Amino acid sequence: MAALAPPVAAVRVAVRRALTGLPGVGPVLVACSGGADSLALAAATAFVAPRLGRRAGLVTVDHGLQPGSAKRAEAVADWAREQGLDPVEAVPVRVGRTGGPEAAAREARYEALVDAARRHAAAAVLLGHTRDDQAETVLLALARGAGPHGLAGMPERRELAGVPLLRPLLDVAREDTRKACAALGLTCWEDPHNVDPAYARSRVRADLLPTLVDALGPGVVDNLARTARLLAADTAALDDLAAVALAEVRAAGGGLAVEALAALPAAVRTRVLHAWARELGAPPAALSYRHVAALDALVTDWHGQGAVHLPGGLPVARRDARLTATA
């Protein structure tokens, strides 16, 4: 018997780690575009899941943005059925315009994945992001002046509309997913958007990250991903502290007590204000550092300024030593 190629083993180990102890009895669904990362993930899941007593299926999303996309999605679905994956769906979506092409496609894709997970009572959806994707995410966050949440990159696990999303391959190199596919004789689709310089992530992938690797050595990719892991742990702890603090600073007459807010450490207070703004109905995608800083100024730099207008047309003012949402 031929020895198992190390990249194949690495992907399978990562999938096994993600699925071991996963609650729920429903299937796991692999989100698969046909690219190397998600194809290697799907092949590994088809091998690992039955050995853990878990059903595994696949969802491929047709964004309809390129000629032949429907045919390609059906080819991915046919391959998945040949691997014994079940259920399998090729789901067409309509991509809107909000937030730019990348964001709109991502929103449509995740909505389709969540809907499929609900239809099949899935225990989780598996996503094929790799260590290289994580490094790119950190660089983009740095360039945009993001805070700890942005620099923490993509989480290994999060819930979207009640559906667990898992990223088993965040510790696996992109090159290893390509080698795994080659070792298994799988033909990968190369998404032209991944090399289109119109997209910021494509420029980071093609130009910035290779330049950093040339200047600082190959370890820079793992170092950036490790930075994300470290910040994610710290951010989670601060978020827990902020959740407790939010309950403690609520004023009896509604809103938040300014004196109690002022006593909090800045890192906790700004998280409290961010969480409260979302609670009031501010759209998360539109809520920025600028909005939270303006709320914080009502607490720490009060000089009689007017209301802060949050996204969604929500004014917040300081009145009677409280921050309150005003009509």
Side-chain angles (χ1 to χ4, degrees):
M1 179 183 295
L4 186 65
V8 176
V11 177
R12 289 180 180 178
V13 167
V15 171
R16 178 177 291 275
R17 185 182 301 118
L19 297 188
T20 299
L22 181 67
V25 296
V28 292
L29 299 179
V30 180
C32 183
S33 66
D37 302 339
S38 60
L39 199 61
L41 175 62
T45 304
F47 179 86
V48 170
R51 288 163 173 79
L52 296 177
R54 173 79 66 176
R55 288 173 55 223
L58 179 145
V59 179
T60 184
V61 177
D62 171 20
H63 298 87
L65 298 177
Q66 299 161 355
S69 62
K71 184 177 180 180
R72 184 173 55 253
E74 284 299 335
V76 172
D78 289 342
W79 170 83
R81 295 184 186 101
E82 292 171 1
Q83 304 306 304
L85 293 167
D86 180 51
V88 172
E89 290 189 17
V91 182
V93 298
R94 176 175 292 182
V95 177
R97 297 178 180 272
T98 304
E102 284 180 287
R106 183 170 56 248
E107 182 177 351
R109 179 169 61 253
Y110 279 103
E111 183 177 344
L113 294 173
V114 167
D115 288 346
R118 287 173 172 166
R119 280 195 299 276
H120 299 290
V125 173
L126 308 187
L127 307 174
H129 300 108
T130 65
R131 183 168 59 203
D132 299 69
D133 293 306
Q134 188 74 298
E136 293 161 5
T137 299
V138 173
L139 288 174
L140 285 166
L142 278 168
R144 291 167 180 160
H149 275 108
L151 295 174
M154 297 175 288
E156 290 185 359
R157 184 190 193 282
R158 76 178 180 103
E159 286 198 4
L160 179 62
V163 175
L165 304 179
L166 308 183
R167 294 183 172 92
L169 305 186
L170 286 182
D171 284 332
V172 176
R174 179 179 295 139
E175 184 62 24
D176 280 345
T177 66
R178 292 185 177 278
K179 289 179 179 178
C181 287
L184 295 171
L186 302 178
T187 301
C188 308
W189 172 58
E190 299 293 342
D191 186 350
H193 285 163
N194 288 338
V195 293
D196 186 344
Y199 299 104
R201 184 176 287 272
S202 299
R203 297 193 297 273
V204 169
R205 181 173 299 179
D207 300 323
L208 178 57
L209 193 53
T211 299
L212 286 174
V213 169
D214 288 343
L216 303 176
V220 70
V221 175
D222 187 51
N223 291 342
L224 287 166
R226 182 168 63 248
T227 293
R229 288 194 300 272
L230 294 172
L231 277 170
D234 290 351
T235 298
L238 285 168
D239 287 347
D240 289 343
L241 292 174
V244 173
L246 176 57
E248 294 175 342
V249 300
R250 293 189 190 276
L256 305 182
V258 168
E259 184 177 357
L261 282 168
L264 295 173
V268 176
R269 183 176 60 251
T270 52
R271 282 170 168 78
V272 167
L273 293 170
H274 188 278
W276 183 60
R278 293 183 60 174
E279 189 180 282
L280 292 176
L287 188 61
S288 70
Y289 166 81
R290 177 175 58 85
H291 299 112
V292 176
L295 290 177
D296 196 44
L298 294 178
V299 177
T300 62
D301 188 26
W302 173 246
H303 49 270
Q305 63 264 45
V308 172
H309 292 272
L310 299 177
L314 300 167
V316 173
R318 174 168 168 163
R319 294 179 180 170
D320 301 323
R322 292 181 295 133
L323 298 189
T324 59
T326 60

